[in-house]
Amino acid sequence: MASWWGRESHKGTPVVVKMENPNWSIVEVESPSDDDFIIGAESPPGRARDKGRGKNAKQLTWVLLLKAHKAAGCLTSIGSALVNIVTVVKRRLASGRTDADADADNDNADGGVRENPTVKTRFYLFIKVFLWLSVLLLGFELAAYYKGWHFEAPHLQLDYLWTTPFGVKDVFDWFYSKWVLIRVAYFAPPLQFLANVCIVLFLIQTLDRLILCLGCFWIRFKKIKPVPKVAAMDLESGETGYFPMVLVQIPMCNEKEVYQQSIAAVCNLDWPKDKLLIQVLDDSDDSITQLLIKEEVHKWQQLDAKIEYRHRVIREGYKAGNLKSAMNCSSVKDYEFVAIFDADFQPASDFLKRTVPHFKDNEELGLVQARWSFVNKDENLLTRLQNINLAFHFEVEQQVNGVFLNFFGFNGTAGVWRIKALEEAGGWLERTTVEDMDIAVRAHLHGWKFIFLNDVECQCELPESYEAYRKQQHRWHSGPMQLFRLCLPDIVRSKIGISKKFNLIFLFFLLRKLILPFYSFTLFCIILPMTMFVPEAELPAWVVCYIPATMSFLNILPAPKFFPFIVPYLLFENTMSVTKFNAMVSGLFQLGSAYEWVVTKKSGRSSEGDLSLMVEKKKMNSEKSVSANNLEEIELIQKQDKKLPRKKHNRIYMKELALAFLLLTASARSLLSAQGIHFYFLLFQGISFLLVGLDLIGEQVV
């Protein structure tokens, strides 16, 4: 009779259990408590008891039943999730809306220009070539594998085959041997060289992130914080406090979802009314949006807010042109500072009191930048991943550079500029899509210093759809490369120190704006899958596993609540490298999509629970002041607007799908060659590209 003994723990009590075949039984032996089950080879003589047999049998049965129920629940949930995913995929494919089709259907109603389709086709063609090559090689080497060659044809004498090609058994053997010789001689060396270059860049980038994190830790440890020279008691007194003339600008374009919140928040800033001017700079080309914003401004004017509405007839230069036009107004000549808020930003009432005092008795200070916080960071997976990225950007990059270098890139909003610094730097220029970074670099070259306030937050929105986020990231990564081309001669000729020039050229532009998207895309999307088909060029396991994990760990440190998303964050960042690499190349070489500008779509979420109530109350109080003719016009346009069919679609992104199949093909090759860590990385990265390519991350509208 076969028997089986062993130990199992249950609440810390040792129990001896014997299971016999064919009639399995549970026997309790020497049980000081009821927690451990001891399972051994033989029953110790004299120690077996029948006491408690039924009790322990029932306990074990219940444990097994509970585990079975839990496993069944997991399987059911997984099955349900898979069914839902398949349903969404079928619906997405049935809609037939690719990214190229959607761009062709849209016009410039959102204030932007579209990406050149020729450039997109070339980049997509580049990826498709690698995809079809990988499929061909996978089929080729599968045949070799089933011949027993295990991808390397060890039984073939390659030198002999090179000199006597007709000594092989068949045509396939001859072709495979030639392929091995060609890949060893011609493909492996350049691929290995490029891989080594990317590894070096990868290590440099990791070192940079580590130094930034150490700097952030030092700031926290020493409690370093910019402190204004104005005493706190002076801020509370209206007569002795520091209250200079402040101009507030709200540039917007076709953003009907958020204009009410931003205007209401700015009009409630705690600052003397006679020393505050608010400009609503509306670049909307949608007539109903123009009327709605104009009426909102009129309502606040009736409530004694010093606010004016400006609309440009000739909309050139996008946001930079809008700000430049407003700064040329005669009404702003008496103002010393300008605060800028994008249309979805909602500053707290004490924003100016916590930022403007830093300028007092600090004539070298040109900019005070506040941190962003997000009202919808927990809306979906996409917003959570964005929050991780931006938390690192503000708390680590901006704060460390602000404390140790007095320089960082202006974020375009939630900041206060000294108008004199803007004028000395040359004012707003329309030459790039990152006018905020442009003015910051030029002001830095003129000797102005910047301060970043990590404890002053201004709430705003994150893009909730992948399409909106993708457009935003394209602009954010194309613009810096345009700016680098234009600013490099000025940086070299400037009178700033060598260390500042090194920081601008190597760290600010090359390492963080060019090298990062280059090696992320090249190493993980091209080189890694290609090394599966050219095994003579290889990537060590630590490059595939440990370094990316370390980078993700460092990036997620400022947002510890999001640690459960560390793996999705790593995979998604590699997925986004396609868009970032494409944008970087477009900006660097001035290709067709370099000047693509699309206003990021907003959903209109409020930052405070009572803000909407406050707006509604004041709208009711000022309802009589609204022009009846304008109301009739708005109602007429709204009725016509509702009649127009406007159905949103999620999209299918062809570049991401092509790379998904490339990586999954490479993972199949890796599985057959038993490369464990490479297989898992390629598999999950391929799935990540597949989900993004089918637009299954972020807002779902179809």
Side-chain angles (χ1 to χ4, degrees), residues 430-698:
E430 308 159 12
R431 56 182 182 172
T432 70
T433 58
V434 283
E435 74 294 327
D436 46 6
M437 186 181 295
D438 188 357
I439 191 66
V441 170
R442 287 184 282 118
H444 180 58
L445 294 179
H446 282 77
W448 291 98
K449 296 181 179 180
F450 304 161
I451 285 179
F452 177 77
L453 302 179
N454 191 54
D455 59 338
V456 179
E457 297 184 357
C458 187
Q459 294 199 322
C460 60
E461 284 188 27
L462 290 166
E464 295 181 8
S465 69
Y466 176 69
E467 175 63 17
Y469 181 61
R470 180 170 168 264
K471 294 294 185 183
Q472 180 196 71
Q473 292 300 303
H474 186 282
R475 176 163 51 88
W476 285 5
H477 286 80
S478 175
M481 291 299 97
Q482 305 170 32
L483 183 60
F484 178 64
R485 286 169 52 97
L486 297 170
C487 281
L488 183 58
D490 296 333
I491 296 174
V492 174
R493 293 193 300 262
S494 66
K495 297 180 181 180
I496 61 176
I498 298 297
S499 60
K500 292 184 177 181
K501 291 182 180 180
F502 174 80
N503 173 66
L504 272 176
I505 296 174
F506 181 72
L507 295 178
F508 186 75
F509 279 113
L510 293 181
L511 185 61
R512 296 166 189 165
K513 302 297 188 298
L514 188 147
I515 290 177
L516 179 59
F518 170 77
Y519 83 71
S520 296
F521 173 76
T522 307
L523 187 63
F524 295 113
C525 300
I526 300 298
I527 294 178
L528 178 58
M530 285 297 101
T531 55
M532 298 298 101
F533 302 103
V534 186
E536 292 77 15
E538 59 181 4
L539 287 177
W542 60 269
V543 174
V544 180
C545 179
Y546 301 117
I547 295 295
T550 303
M551 285 277 287
S552 299
F553 178 79
L554 294 176
N555 282 5
I556 211 169
L557 276 177
K561 293 182 180 179
F562 291 87
F563 262 104
F565 299 96
I566 188 170
V567 174
Y569 172 75
L570 168 63
L571 298 174
F572 182 70
E573 281 301 294
N574 289 335
T575 305
M576 282 303 301
S577 66
V578 183
T579 297
K580 295 175 181 179
F581 179 82
N582 186 25
M584 182 267 293
V585 173
S586 299
L588 190 62
F589 297 103
Q590 300 293 291
L591 301 180
S593 61
Y595 292 94
E596 180 188 36
W597 181 289
V598 178
V599 176
T600 305
K601 297 296 183 184
K602 317 294 193 311
S603 60
R605 303 185 185 278
S606 178
S607 61
E608 300 178 9
D610 59 345
L611 183 58
S612 59
L613 296 177
M614 176 188 65
V615 173
E616 290 297 328
K617 181 179 179 181
K618 293 192 174 183
K619 285 171 65 177
M620 291 175 61
N621 293 336
S622 60
E623 191 69 26
K624 296 180 181 180
S625 64
V626 181
S627 169
N629 293 332
N630 284 342
L631 279 178
E632 292 177 0
E633 188 176 355
I634 291 173
E635 290 175 358
L636 178 61
I637 297 176
Q638 284 178 332
K639 289 179 181 179
Q640 295 176 351
D641 192 56
K642 289 179 181 179
K643 294 179 181 179
L644 297 176
R646 291 187 178 181
K647 186 178 181 180
K648 289 185 177 180
H649 291 271
N650 286 101
R651 302 181 180 184
I652 299 175
Y653 299 98
M654 304 306 295
K655 291 192 290 289
E656 284 80 356
L657 280 182
L659 279 168
F661 294 126
L662 169 63
L663 292 166
L664 292 175
T665 303
S667 70
R669 166 65 171 81
S670 177
L671 178 63
L672 293 174
S673 59
Q675 299 187 44
I677 190 64
H678 296 74
F679 163 71
Y680 289 113
F681 186 90
L682 288 166
L683 175 64
F684 289 115
Q685 191 64 71
I687 293 174
S688 175
F689 269 103
L690 186 63
L691 295 176
V692 172
L694 294 172
D695 203 3
L696 295 176
I697 182 173

Side-chain angles (χ1 to χ4, degrees), residues 324-490:
K324 181 179 179 180
S325 174
M327 292 302 298
N328 291 329
C329 297
S330 58
S331 58
V332 305
K333 292 182 178 180
D334 296 330
Y335 289 83
E336 188 176 356
F337 303 101
V338 55
I340 302 171
F341 300 100
D342 282 350
D344 60 317
F345 278 73
Q346 302 156 38
S349 59
D350 63 346
F351 181 88
L352 294 179
K353 283 189 173 181
R354 300 181 67 183
T355 54
V356 174
H358 288 272
F359 289 98
K360 184 173 176 58
D361 298 330
N362 192 354
E363 297 300 324
E364 295 181 342
L365 183 61
L367 167 68
V368 175
Q369 173 73 59
R371 178 176 178 164
W372 299 0
S373 60
F374 309 103
V375 297
N376 60 339
K377 62 182 178 181
D378 295 316
E379 183 65 24
N380 54 45
L381 178 60
L382 179 61
T383 58
R384 290 184 174 96
L385 299 180
Q386 291 178 68
N387 182 69
I388 295 173
N389 246 346
L390 290 170
F392 180 88
H393 170 69
F394 285 108
E395 187 159 346
V396 179
E397 288 183 332
Q398 298 290 76
Q399 185 174 212
V400 171
N401 289 327
V403 169
F404 294 104
L405 300 176
N406 296 121
F407 168 73
F408 47 82
F410 174 46
N411 295 117
T413 178
V416 182
W417 276 96
R418 189 188 295 271
I419 294 180
K420 182 181 178 181
L422 292 178
E423 294 172 347
E424 280 193 8
W428 299 103
L429 298 182
E430 308 159 12
R431 56 182 182 172
T432 70
T433 58
V434 283
E435 74 294 327
D436 46 6
M437 186 181 295
D438 188 357
I439 191 66
V441 170
R442 287 184 282 118
H444 180 58
L445 294 179
H446 282 77
W448 291 98
K449 296 181 179 180
F450 304 161
I451 285 179
F452 177 77
L453 302 179
N454 191 54
D455 59 338
V456 179
E457 297 184 357
C458 187
Q459 294 199 322
C460 60
E461 284 188 27
L462 290 166
E464 295 181 8
S465 69
Y466 176 69
E467 175 63 17
Y469 181 61
R470 180 170 168 264
K471 294 294 185 183
Q472 180 196 71
Q473 292 300 303
H474 186 282
R475 176 163 51 88
W476 285 5
H477 286 80
S478 175
M481 291 299 97
Q482 305 170 32
L483 183 60
F484 178 64
R485 286 169 52 97
L486 297 170
C487 281
L488 183 58
D490 296 333

Side-chain angles (χ1 to χ4, degrees), residues 56-74:
N56 289 317
K58 289 180 179 179
Q59 289 178 348
L60 182 60
T61 303
W62 276 110
V63 170
L64 294 176
L65 286 174
L66 288 173
K67 291 183 176 180
H69 177 72
K70 185 177 181 181
C74 292

Side-chain angles (χ1 to χ4, degrees), residues 157-178:
Q157 300 295 327
L158 297 181
D159 294 336
Y160 173 74
L161 290 172
W162 184 265
T163 55
T164 57
F166 297 103
V168 296
K169 294 181 181 179
D170 54 33
V171 176
F172 179 81
D173 295 351
W174 182 83
F175 272 111
Y176 187 79
S177 64
K178 289 298 183 184

